[in-house]
Amino acid sequence: MKSTSLESGFVCRTADVARLSGKSVVDAENLLDALAFEEAYDLVSLYMRDALDRGIASDAVSLMTALAGRDGGNRVKHAALMQVVAAALIETGDIDDALTGIAGTLRLLSEESDRKDIPFRSVLASLLYDLAILHALRKEYNAAERTIEKSIKLFDFLAKVDPQRYATAHVHALNVATSVYRSRIRQVNLLAHYQVATSTYLAMAGRGASAAVSNLIDSLVKEAETLLKLGKPRDAVRYLERALKYLEKLDGAPASRKIDLSVMLGEALVKTFSTRQKGIHMLEALLVDAKKARYGKAVEKIEYLLDENNTLLMDFLAGWHKIFSRN
């Protein structure tokens, strides 16, 4: 299953999906017309999420498509239905129809004159989030970057207005940026730019934001692991420093996780000649903490990294090219 804006916890949604179950198109239309925008959007989104989880997405897609095909009076509500259908199609692997649906929704939204209200921005932000995922799946990375940047800006605005509802969506969009940005420097700069906002979300938005930030940390660590394997410890340092700053804001994060990330950071520092001593001092301090916590795995890793023979080996492997530079 592909992640989309329909992912559980993406937006803080509340609705009883049973209200739509078994409804005819006419009855469903009357129900949605009677609801305020946010209530209707939550209901159709959670209804589709439930259908996807239960393996009956085709029925929900048929109902939502029929509703979207009717000549409703509220253009943004109509676009919200189309957005939910497109997201469901992405999750079921129907990429071509999803792309067609997103294009149609964008055309519909382009006809809307009031583009500054919350309903319009919330639908557009989610639609662009899903479109960025589609572009990335199609390896259209420039388009994916441009699209997720706009989604991030929209969710940034929405999260400032209502952090309880939109904070997690903003963090999810930042997380997508770590995978679609080709420039790792741009990735880190983006995360640094929104660090204060993310810390605020953790204080205001509770569990949902915590889970989203935890996923973001996992993505950063994965990038750092890749960079270390590629022999780019200096770049890995930026990712690990950012991950640790986010981790420090998470309540209830296991102490072992912080030690593991800190050891990774120490390893990256040690493998970079200019930060070697800083890394050694950091690992020496961590060794004391790991022993107190009786965290044997970390103790073993730190002792290996601090071993003088291993340090000399890393020095030689990092600088062999200088020996043969004139050959």
Side-chain angles (χ1 to χ4, degrees):
M1 182 188 77
K2 301 173 182 68
S3 174
T4 69
S5 59
L6 291 177
E7 183 177 344
S8 297
F10 180 80
V11 168
C12 183
R13 303 178 176 111
T14 55
D16 180 7
V17 298
R19 297 180 70 184
L20 268 180
S21 297
K23 287 280 194 298
S24 68
V25 174
V26 173
D27 288 342
E29 182 181 33
N30 291 334
L31 170 62
L32 295 176
D33 284 345
L35 297 176
F37 171 81
E38 194 171 285
E39 293 177 286
Y41 201 9
D42 281 0
L43 180 56
V44 296
S45 298
L46 290 174
Y47 179 77
M48 187 64 79
R49 176 73 272 153
D50 179 66
L52 285 162
D53 291 343
R54 293 196 292 134
I56 54 172
S58 59
D59 294 339
V61 167
S62 295
L63 175 61
M64 295 297 114
T65 301
L67 287 168
R70 297 174 75 85
D71 186 19
N74 189 313
R75 186 181 287 113
V76 179
K77 263 190 183 180
H78 186 182
L81 286 167
M82 295 171 68
Q83 184 271 315
V84 168
V85 170
L89 291 173
I90 294 172
E91 293 207 19
T92 57
D94 195 346
I95 303 304
D96 290 339
D97 283 347
L99 198 58
T100 300
I102 288 175
T105 312
L106 286 171
R107 277 193 291 270
L108 181 63
L109 288 173
S110 71
E111 298 169 4
E112 180 66 22
S113 57
D114 186 2
R115 302 182 181 184
K116 293 186 177 181
D117 69 343
I118 298 301
F120 178 90
R121 294 189 192 204
S122 64
V123 175
L124 182 59
S126 294
L127 189 70
L128 293 177
Y129 176 89
D130 294 330
L131 179 56
I133 290 171
L134 268 183
H135 280 312
L137 288 171
R138 292 159 59 92
K139 303 189 185 304
E140 299 162 348
Y141 294 113
N142 287 337
E145 288 184 16
R146 184 169 59 249
T147 307
I148 199 61
E149 281 178 359
K150 180 63 175 177
S151 180
I152 288 169
K153 288 178 181 177
L154 286 166
F155 279 128
D156 182 30
F157 170 83
L158 292 167
K160 287 173 182 174
V161 174
D162 188 354
Q164 190 66 40
R165 180 172 175 82
Y166 293 107
T168 51
H170 189 201
V171 178
H172 276 288
L174 292 172
N175 195 16
V176 167
T178 67
S179 62
V180 302
Y181 273 28
R182 296 298 88 192
S183 166
R184 290 189 168 92
I185 293 176
R186 288 187 69 195
Q187 289 176 5
V188 175
N189 288 343
L190 176 78
L191 294 164
H193 179 69
Y194 288 107
Q195 182 182 338
V196 174
T198 307
S199 299
T200 303
Y201 300 157
L202 288 170
M204 298 179 69
R207 286 187 186 178
S210 296
V213 173
S214 183
N215 289 338
L216 179 57
I217 291 168
D218 289 341
S219 294
L220 293 170
V221 172
K222 186 176 179 180
E223 289 286 340
E225 288 174 338
T226 300
L227 289 165
L228 283 172
K229 289 176 182 177
L230 292 173
K232 298 180 178 180
R234 192 188 304 275
D235 292 332
V237 166
R238 292 198 292 265
Y239 283 81
L240 292 167
E241 287 178 339
R242 188 66 52 207
L244 277 166
K245 285 182 179 179
Y246 286 131
L247 185 62
E248 287 170 1
K249 302 295 183 180
L250 279 179
D251 291 332
S256 59
R257 192 180 189 194
K258 183 176 180 180
I259 290 175
D260 283 337
L261 288 192
S262 298
V263 172
M264 280 186 68
L265 176 57
E267 178 181 3
L269 290 168
V270 166
K271 288 183 176 179
T272 303
F273 184 78
S274 61
T275 58
R276 176 71 45 78
Q277 287 306 311
K278 179 180 178 181
I280 289 173
H281 292 320
M282 180 179 182
L283 289 170
E284 287 173 342
L286 280 170
L287 183 59
V288 175
D289 293 338
K291 285 182 175 178
K292 283 183 179 178
R294 296 182 179 180
Y295 191 24
K297 178 184 173 183
V299 170
E300 185 177 332
K301 177 72 172 179
I302 294 168
E303 288 179 340
Y304 172 82
L305 292 170
L306 289 175
D307 184 273
E308 186 176 352
N309 290 328
N310 289 322
T311 302
L312 291 172
L313 177 62
M314 283 187 284
D315 275 340
F316 178 78
L317 292 175
W320 68 265
H321 59 285
K322 296 178 183 177
I323 302 172
F324 301 103
S325 60
R326 296 185 180 181
N327 292 74

